[in-house]
Amino acid sequence: MQSPIRRALLHIAGQLALFMVLIPAVAAAQDVVVVDADLARDTISRNIYGHFSEHLGRCIYGGYFVGEGNTTIPNTRGMRNDVVAALRKLKIPVLRWPGGCFADTYHWKDGIGPRAKRPSIVNNWWGGVTEDNSFGTNEFLDLCEQLGAEPYITGNVGSGTVQEFAQWVQYTNFDGVSPMSALRKENGREKSWKVRYWGIGNEAWGCGGNMTAEYYVNLYRRFATFMPASWGNGSLSRIASGASSSDYHWTEVLMRDIPAGLIEGIALHHYAVDWDHKGSATDFTEEEYFATMQRALLMEELVRRHSTIMDVYDPKKKVALVVDEWGGWYDVEPGTNPGFLFQQNTMRDAMIAGATLNIFNNHCDRVRMANLAQTVNVLQAVVLTDGARMLVTPTYHVMEMYTVHHDALMLPVSVRGGDYTVGKNSLPALSVSASREKSGAAHISLVNIDAGKSRDVIVELRGMECSSVSGRILVSPRIQDHNTFDDPDRVRPAEFNGARRDGGTVRLKLPPCSVVVLNLQ
Ligand code: AHR
């Protein structure tokens, strides 16, 4: 028989021994990322880094366009020089316009010809403001040329006609003799622009006409029939109005009922938003942050499941999944027009951007275009303006850091990592994607969404050599941190010297809420 004291002492000794065994295990606990460079096959289309600009709030007017006569804000044919210069650094590959919901109310002929003669209309979707049509087709295509971006025009299916749509394509794309090419020349543009990407309506299930998938599919077939591929140098891309988030039925019907030769892309819209409680863009709790990230990371499942449906009808993956609206959506900034969707942009948005772009990179075999909503002054904007002042947001910096992935060969990654836990809920804390440029340099983008804990990461490189590693980091003490017009550089990227190469592995510590892009030579 043991005495109670001896039993207690033995128990304590046992606990201590267990503790000693666990300590090294806890200290050594780390996330493991394996980069399988020898399995690389698919290219990350630069179009994944596309943007979206609608006639909404101060995106076009005040954001990009201040009018040719403006003498206080430097501009080129009306486009703000500061905004264009900032956006050029993002190498925006493709820009979607004029909506959004606005697209299905827009009649393009209202926006061409002498400005004084253009009619004014009411922008019913966004604040009921007067739209004077001073920014129309020619201005948009001029903007794209200034940005070096390809245009992606969404046509009016909800309240427009097939003829009107087909004439728009003829106006922008046809070089031969025709009524619309004559009109274009009359408006000062001799050569066609050869616009490749065309959206056949927007959110046809909602603001684009409240249609069923079964009804829309027939409309789609009509509109697409009158847009001959020859009007786009043989490479016209017709993109069907796609599903809202997890509406898999929509994708199924479109893929089943649209003949393969009539479709090049199918859209998907998903916002990281709680429609019943959007919450403040800057003043939010960790629980709210976590909930936003849950919705943002749902993108992984959405892309997988929509792709699985598409694979059944299109196993060769000819039709692209085009996520042409994505991002965070919060309450408008206090005191601003509720219809203008103007919101600030914090490190939370940087987390959304970094993690979402990693998802798109990793699914680049099917996701071949995506368009962040929206470029300037609306929703998850990369640029904000206030009169003549301009700032770039944390999301801008992520987009800029990720330019290294444009058109690079995707390197498959697998991640074995821990969770970010808030209350009873958990999410994977670490998100990763990797690619290799033609020059041979490889890049790995890592996001730690955990608001409180840093992560020790070991990256195992398979099928690739690496003799040096450098990097950049975007991090800030608080998840609510953001740039303001008085403090525009509060959040900005810095050099990252925390990665150590060790044979075929790289070790690093990722601070809480950080985005790191490693450059491996
Ligand atoms: O991006 C704002 C709006 O969100 C778009 O106009 C619409 O397509 C979506 O519902």
Side-chain angles (χ1 to χ4, degrees):
M1 282 275 289
Q2 288 174 351
S3 74
I5 293 180
R6 191 178 148 75
R7 251 203 333 264
L9 281 173
L10 278 174
H11 177 74
I12 291 168
Q15 292 295 318
L16 260 177
L18 186 66
F19 190 58
M20 297 306 283
V21 170
L22 279 178
I23 281 180
V26 169
Q30 57 190 347
D31 297 337
V32 179
V33 175
V34 178
V35 179
D36 278 308
D38 39 0
L39 300 181
R41 192 192 56 192
D42 302 308
T43 297
I44 298 173
S45 169
R46 63 180 188 279
N47 287 347
I48 282 177
Y49 293 82
H51 286 257
F52 166 40
S53 295
E54 180 167 10
H55 284 240
L56 194 178
R58 295 186 301 112
C59 184
I60 300 294
Y61 300 110
Y64 285 112
F65 190 69
V66 287
E68 284 192 76
N70 192 309
T71 50
T72 50
I73 303 179
N75 66 84
T76 303
R77 293 182 295 283
M79 314 300 162
R80 288 180 74 130
N81 292 346
D82 54 352
V83 171
V84 168
L87 294 178
R88 281 188 72 88
K89 291 193 190 135
L90 296 189
K91 302 181 183 163
I92 292 185
V94 60
L95 185 62
R96 179 173 183 249
W97 172 87
C101 296
F102 181 76
D104 284 288
T105 63
Y106 185 59
H107 299 281
W108 69 273
K109 284 185 187 164
D110 290 348
I112 55 165
R115 290 207 185 99
K117 289 195 177 153
R118 298 185 194 176
S120 285
I121 58 162
V122 181
N123 188 333
N124 277 329
W125 287 111
W126 307 117
V129 294
T130 300
E131 160 67 62
D132 69 2
N133 278 306
S134 54
F135 186 97
T137 302
N138 290 50
E139 288 78 13
F140 170 64
L141 294 169
D142 181 17
L143 171 65
C144 287
E145 286 179 343
Q146 291 192 35
L147 293 172
E150 268 202 77
Y152 168 17
I153 296 181
T154 299
N156 182 345
V157 170
S159 69
T161 64
V162 175
Q163 184 191 34
E164 181 186 6
F165 199 142
Q167 286 184 335
W168 203 359
V169 184
Q170 198 183 80
Y171 181 84
T172 60
N173 283 16
F174 192 63
D175 277 314
V177 177
S178 80
M180 291 303 114
S181 39
L183 190 56
R184 184 187 67 238
K185 287 174 193 173
E186 217 177 287
N187 290 333
R189 175 80 183 199
E190 188 64 28
K191 239 177 108 16
S192 71
W193 289 275
K194 291 279 179 268
V195 177
R196 174 172 176 178
Y197 300 105
W198 292 88
I200 314 287
N202 169 74
E203 296 194 350
W205 41 264
C207 63
N210 281 309
M211 306 176 206
T212 61
E214 290 75 7
Y215 180 78
Y216 169 72
V217 97
N218 284 320
L219 268 190
Y220 177 94
R221 292 164 65 129
R222 278 185 63 215
F223 276 77
T225 301
F226 297 97
M227 294 173 61
S230 58
W231 287 0
N233 270 350
S235 60
L236 214 63
S237 268
R238 293 156 296 187
I239 298 162
S241 166
S244 169
S245 299
S246 59
D247 183 354
Y248 300 112
H249 174 74
W250 190 275
T251 301
E252 174 88 38
V253 172
L254 267 54
M255 289 305 295
R256 190 191 62 209
D257 292 350
I258 300 176
L262 277 186
I263 184 166
E264 285 75 33
I266 182 163
L268 168 66
H269 289 183
H270 175 65
Y271 287 97
V273 62
D274 174 353
W275 294 112
D276 298 325
H277 170 79
K278 297 195 194 80
S280 162
T282 51
D283 185 12
F284 52 89
T285 62
E286 188 173 353
E287 285 70 26
E288 288 176 290
Y289 163 61
F290 185 89
T292 304
M293 292 315 296
Q294 271 180 319
R295 294 192 177 89
L297 296 185
L298 183 64
M299 187 67 88
E300 171 75 32
E301 179 183 320
L302 297 175
V303 165
R304 272 183 199 281
R305 295 186 65 178
H306 284 288
S307 300
T308 302
I309 295 167
M310 294 174 78
D311 286 349
V312 173
Y313 299 96
D314 174 36
K316 291 198 173 140
K317 299 183 193 291
K318 289 193 171 149
V319 179
L321 182 59
V322 175
V323 189
D324 57 17
E325 288 187 32
W326 67 273
W329 188 323
Y330 317 110
D331 291 337
V332 299
E333 286 305 299
T336 64
N337 188 328
F340 280 15
L341 309 188
F342 175 69
Q343 65 189 39
Q344 249 293 359
N345 191 292
T346 66
M347 282 302 294
R348 167 170 66 176
D349 298 283
M351 296 298 106
I352 298 177
T356 305
L357 291 168
N358 281 342
I359 294 170
F360 294 156
N361 285 348
N362 291 330
H363 291 281
C364 64
D365 58 339
R366 184 62 87 174
V367 180
R368 296 202 287 272
M369 193 199 290
N371 308 76
L372 177 64
Q374 300 191 5
T375 327
V376 190
N377 291 333
V378 171
L379 299 179
Q380 192 174 339
V382 290
V383 167
L384 302 179
T385 66
D386 174 27
R389 301 195 292 176
M390 185 207 88
L391 63 79
V392 300
T393 65
T395 301
Y396 174 96
H397 291 307
V398 174
M399 281 278 182
E400 187 273 320
M401 289 164 75
Y402 276 48
T403 53
V404 292
H405 290 306
H406 292 199
D407 287 338
L409 182 69
M410 190 267 281
L411 307 180
V413 292
S414 42
V415 179
R416 209 170 59 240
D419 284 339
Y420 168 38
T421 303
V422 172
K424 290 189 183 142
N425 299 312
S426 295
L427 285 171
L430 184 63
S431 135
V432 186
S433 71
S435 70
R436 185 165 55 212
E437 285 180 319
K438 287 206 178 78
S439 69
H443 298 96
I444 308 178
S445 41
L446 305 103
V447 184
N448 175 16
I449 66 162
D450 195 314
K453 289 195 195 122
S454 57
R455 309 210 64 85
D456 288 317
V457 182
I458 176 161
V459 183
E460 231 183 84
L461 305 170
R462 294 191 186 157
M464 64 187 277
E465 302 287 318
C466 160
S467 57
S468 75
V469 55
S470 57
R472 291 169 78 206
I473 183 167
L474 188 74
V475 67
S476 197
R478 294 175 67 246
I479 187 73
Q480 295 84 0
D481 284 348
H482 56 278
N483 293 333
T484 64
F485 292 101
D486 295 325
D487 190 3
D489 282 326
R490 181 167 186 180
V491 180
R492 62 164 175 209
E495 218 175 290
F496 179 69
N497 296 313
R500 298 277 162 272
R501 195 178 56 83
D502 177 11
T505 63
V506 173
R507 289 168 194 271
L508 67 149
K509 188 186 274 293
L510 280 177
C513 275
S514 62
V515 180
V516 165
V517 177
L518 296 177
N519 179 347
L520 276 57
Q521 298 281 344

